[in-house]
Amino acid sequence: MWQITIVLIAFGMVLLSMFCVLFPKKLVESMPYLVTSKVARYSDVAVRVMLGVSLILSANTAKYPLVFSFVGYLSIAAVLAIVILSDRKLESIVNYLGEKLPIWTVRLVCIFSALGFAFLIYGI
């Protein structure tokens, strides 16, 4: 069951990352709205918790158990940071990064994201 959860989330994230590689401006333009949206925030937290728990619990059956455990705990740590940081603080971080980073860096991050999630699918 945990492996299926990982594959579904990772597959969705690969698709989303590839969309953002093709259309990075859409991602940059929508981030301020997503940061302030309660639905987006709760969805983000729920998906990260599910992914983190799934990675940790299925690490012993994965091809790379240490990587799966590390990424799982990293996902849980990200949830804690999202919950602790206020909406205003998250919005200021997103706005700052959106203004400072050139669009090619957004593409690069999305490429690495797609590769990372594809690695999780492969490693399960």
Side-chain angles (χ1 to χ4, degrees), residues 9 14 19 29 31 41-42 46 49 58 61 75 82-83 91 96 106-108 118-119:
I9 292 172
V14 167
F19 175 81
E29 292 168 356
M31 282 309 291
R41 187 173 184 157
Y42 293 136
V49 166
S58 66
T61 62
S75 181
I82 290 169
V83 170
E91 187 176 5
Y96 175 78
V106 174
R107 275 197 172 110
L108 189 63
F119 174 78

Side-chain angles (χ1 to χ4, degrees), residues 15-78:
L15 291 177
L16 182 62
S17 296
M18 293 313 297
F19 175 81
C20 293
V21 167
L22 297 173
F23 307 105
K25 273 228 186 266
K26 295 262 188 213
L27 175 64
V28 172
E29 292 168 356
S30 64
M31 282 309 291
Y33 168 74
L34 293 174
V35 168
T36 59
S37 168
K38 293 291 184 198
V39 173
R41 187 173 184 157
Y42 293 136
S43 299
D44 183 28
V45 167
V47 168
R48 286 178 192 267
V49 166
M50 287 185 347
L51 181 63
V53 169
S54 297
L55 288 168
I56 292 165
L57 293 177
S58 66
N60 58 347
T61 62
K63 291 180 184 177
Y64 308 99
L66 186 62
V67 173
F68 272 58
S69 294
F70 177 75
V71 174
Y73 286 114
L74 189 63
S75 181
I76 300 296

Side-chain angles (χ1 to χ4, degrees), residues 6-8 47 50 66 80 92 100 103:
I6 293 168
V7 169
L8 290 175
V47 168
M50 287 185 347
L66 186 62
L80 293 173
S92 67
K100 296 293 181 188
I103 205 74

Side-chain angles (χ1 to χ4, degrees), residues 90-108:
L90 284 172
E91 187 176 5
S92 67
I93 292 169
V94 167
N95 288 337
Y96 175 78
L97 291 174
E99 293 169 1
K100 296 293 181 188
L101 296 177
I103 205 74
W104 66 267
T105 58
V106 174
R107 275 197 172 110
L108 189 63

